[in-house]
Amino acid sequence: MSREAAARSVVSFVPATIANVGPGFDVLGLALDGAGDQVCARISDSRSGGQVTIASIEGCGGRLPLEAEENTAGIAAIHTLRRAGLDTRVELEITKGLPIGSGLGGSAASAVAAAFAVNLLVGSPLRKEELIEPCIEAEAAVAGRHADNVAPALLGGLILVRSTDPLDLVRVPLPGGLRVVVVTPAHELNTRDAREALPGSVPLATMVRQSAQLAALVSACYSGDLELLSESLVDPVVTPVRLELVPGGREAVDAAQGAGALGASLSGSGPSVFAICHSSAVAQKVAGCMQAAFLNAGLESKVLISSADNPGARRVR
Ligand code: HSE
């Protein structure tokens, strides 16, 4: 080991994220308070296996790989140590709080939690922002190269990913007092499949409309203009295609709007649907109506009523 370890073990927590946030496909993501993944990283004395080993994964019913090279937490840990130039051997224990294939950024949360914990474990050789690249490598291996989950998961709040290479992130303020409802139906949708369903190109007129929506959304976030925010959450490109893949998805979006939400759309690649509301009372009503829409399509669902998670990745022990 080329550097003194800062601790024998570190436990980190990383929040769920809503990627895309309407028209911001692959460029906008919001961290959510109240749900997330946890990773314990400890120095390993074992000489067998690779540099990073995964001792256990709780909360996924045995469905995620224990091989570090095939698991987003393992891949992120390997790339973090590589980037730091360290040969330290590390063991991970992963506790999944986020369901697999739900659109809540579960693969990103595990990757960020591992990168964050491992970096602290070895004495913080990397700045927080430098952990993004190892996490993007992890996402690329399982779901596609995008940072709109890993960036807000790590940094908290609402983040605009202007570029991943070179990395260029912009923190966008979210108007105060908003509540975010996320309804997750009992229907898994793999991000890779949901990306493959998308068109390879869009007509210029659609591109113009989509750019205007994203610009309006960011502007509304800065100005606090909730009417503009409401209108600009509509995505003309990606969401209409993907809602076809989610039974009851379109109806849940419509139900949210009918019940008073400012706007609603798919969370990441789905199947979760989120709605932004201006009060807790409206959020409760919206959640019920969205659940009823999914039930009509034959799907039970779970609800998270939340707000922005501003700290992002943090140490819990
Ligand atoms: N921007 C990505 C997508 C997020 O929509 O495919 C996946 O969580």
Side-chain angles (χ1 to χ4, degrees):
M1 199 165 91
S2 56
R3 192 186 175 102
E4 190 70 19
R8 287 299 291 179
S9 75
V10 171
V11 180
S12 64
F13 173 84
V14 169
T17 44
I18 292 175
N20 305 334
V21 198
F25 178 65
D26 275 3
V27 300
L28 203 57
L30 172 66
L32 284 185
D33 194 27
D37 285 359
Q38 193 167 294
V39 167
C40 173
R42 63 170 61 93
I43 302 291
S44 168
D45 299 321
S46 165
R47 292 287 114 198
S48 62
Q51 184 184 10
V52 173
T53 50
I54 299 177
S56 63
I57 310 177
E58 299 290 325
C60 73
R63 296 182 49 216
L64 291 174
L66 282 164
E67 292 73 25
E69 299 77 12
E70 293 170 25
N71 181 299
T72 56
I75 297 167
I78 292 167
H79 281 271
T80 299
L81 291 166
R82 188 175 297 165
R83 187 166 178 142
L86 297 176
D87 57 7
T88 314
R89 297 174 73 80
V90 170
E91 181 183 87
L92 305 177
E93 282 171 16
I94 303 165
T95 307
K96 295 290 300 174
L98 301 175
I100 300 172
S102 64
L104 289 171
S107 59
S110 292
V112 171
F116 187 78
V118 166
N119 189 47
L120 279 172
L121 184 72
V122 296
S124 302
L126 302 178
R127 287 179 294 109
K128 209 174 181 189
E129 289 73 15
E130 289 179 302
L131 300 176
I132 299 262
E133 181 55 38
C135 296
I136 293 176
E137 289 304 325
E139 280 282 66
V142 302
R145 182 168 288 276
H146 54 89
D148 51 341
N149 290 113
V150 296
L154 179 70
L155 303 172
L158 181 61
I159 303 286
L160 174 70
V161 182
R162 213 190 126 245
S163 160
T164 53
D165 188 16
L167 189 65
D168 187 357
L169 305 175
V170 180
R171 183 177 288 283
V172 178
L174 196 66
L178 295 180
R179 302 294 285 159
V180 184
V181 178
V182 186
V183 178
T184 304
H187 176 82
E188 260 180 43
L189 190 53
N190 182 289
T191 297
R192 203 181 281 283
D193 295 341
R195 291 178 84 81
E196 278 170 10
L198 299 177
S201 58
V202 296
L204 195 61
T206 311
M207 190 277 276
V208 170
R209 172 146 168 68
Q210 205 267 351
S211 307
Q213 285 295 82
L214 181 55
L217 178 57
V218 172
S219 169
C221 286
Y222 275 93
S223 66
D225 181 341
L226 296 187
E227 201 172 318
L228 183 62
L229 184 126
S230 168
E231 286 160 12
S232 57
L233 277 168
V234 178
D235 159 40
V237 178
V238 168
T239 310
V241 177
R242 285 178 166 172
L243 280 175
E244 299 296 318
L245 308 176
V246 182
R250 165 56 62 200
E251 291 76 9
V253 168
D254 292 345
Q257 270 151 355
L262 293 169
S265 192
L266 278 178
S267 177
S269 59
S272 294
V273 173
F274 77 92
I276 297 186
C277 304
H278 67 271
S279 74
S280 295
V282 172
Q284 289 290 352
K285 182 171 170 212
V286 163
C289 293
M290 290 166 80
Q291 284 202 285
F294 278 121
L295 207 53
N296 256 339
L299 295 178
E300 300 280 345
S301 60
K302 292 197 170 133
V303 173
L304 172 68
I305 299 183
S306 173
S307 50
D309 179 288
N310 289 313
R314 57 252 201 196
R315 181 174 188 169
V316 292
R317 267 199 316 274

